[in-house]
Amino acid sequence: IRAGQEVEIKASRVEPGDIAIIRPGERVPVDGIIVDGASELDESHITGESLPAARIAGGKALPPAAGGGGGVPQATDGGRAG
């Protein structure tokens, strides 16, 4: 979400302050913080843990984690792209 509008952009074009919507099965595009809701993220590529990790508002979301059961909005911090 950029300037209040949902738009589709490449991860390399994400700017700090953009909100990325992570839908079930989609990968986290860039480093950021979950701003609303809760979900489980598959972080097995990062941690080696086979079980999804519960994440709530205020928690970090890092690429290349994949979204689980519920979609969540993620505030981007302009960090690395996944």
Side-chain angles (χ1 to χ4, degrees):
I1 298 175
R2 183 179 280 175
Q5 297 288 334
E6 188 169 332
V7 295
E8 190 167 321
I9 57 174
K10 294 181 179 191
S12 61
R13 309 279 320 239
V14 173
E15 299 175 0
D18 286 347
I19 304 291
I21 305 298
I22 302 149
R23 294 181 176 86
E26 291 183 344
R27 298 245 176 242
V28 173
V30 294
D31 291 357
I33 303 295
I34 296 173
V35 295
D36 189 33
S39 187
E40 292 184 338
L41 298 179
D42 175 358
E43 298 178 340
S44 59
H45 287 82
I46 303 166
T47 65
E49 175 60 54
S50 62
L51 298 174
R55 294 288 176 256
I56 60 172
K60 279 216 168 257
L62 303 172
V72 291
Q74 171 205 7
T76 62
D77 66 6
R80 69 183 174 97

